[in-house]
Amino acid sequence: MSREQAYREATERAAHLRSKAVLSLADAQARIAPDRLKADVEAKITATALDGIAYVGAKVRQRPVATGAAATGIGLFLFRRPLTALFGRLFVRLRNRNTEISEIDDG
């Protein structure tokens, strides 16, 4: 192999490696672009949320009574004040219902 031919092969190899490096750099820049990172994060969050929903759905189907009891307990806890007020008003109405004493009684 002559020196000129070896030089040409070396320059061709260097040009090929340079073009490969430029393509790799372009790929890396595309991967770390803010829009791409944002899309990747959104896709990951969506996938995680959907997996979580599917997991919860499967657990609810496995244990419907326990899920209903837990939901009832949480609902009662969240609405404890309005329920207390409602039952307090009902209790007062029922306790003060006295049919023997009339409001128009003269006595």
Side-chain angles (χ1 to χ4, degrees):
M1 180 183 305
S2 70
R3 294 176 96 180
E4 190 176 316
Q5 189 179 7
Y7 175 76
R8 284 186 185 149
E9 286 178 6
T11 55
E12 285 177 12
R13 193 172 350 110
H16 175 70
L17 291 175
R18 191 178 306 117
S19 66
K20 242 174 113 173
V22 168
L23 287 175
S24 289
L25 179 63
D27 286 346
Q29 286 176 340
R31 269 184 275 154
I32 62 170
D35 292 338
R36 172 78 183 266
L37 291 174
K38 182 181 171 187
D40 288 347
V41 168
E42 287 176 354
K44 227 175 236 189
I45 288 172
T46 304
T48 303
L50 290 177
D51 288 345
I53 290 169
Y55 176 77
V56 168
K59 289 296 179 184
V60 167
R61 275 186 251 111
Q62 285 178 357
R63 298 181 183 99
V65 174
T67 305
T72 302
I74 291 170
L76 288 174
F77 176 75
L78 290 176
F79 295 108
R80 67 188 180 274
R81 289 188 179 159
L83 289 172
T84 302
L86 172 70
F87 288 125
R89 285 190 305 261
L90 289 175
F91 177 73
V92 168
R93 273 191 197 164
L94 291 174
R95 201 176 88 194
N96 289 340
R97 188 180 298 188
N98 198 350
T99 58
E100 295 175 5
I101 301 174
S102 173
E103 290 181 15
I104 57 172
D105 195 10
D106 293 324

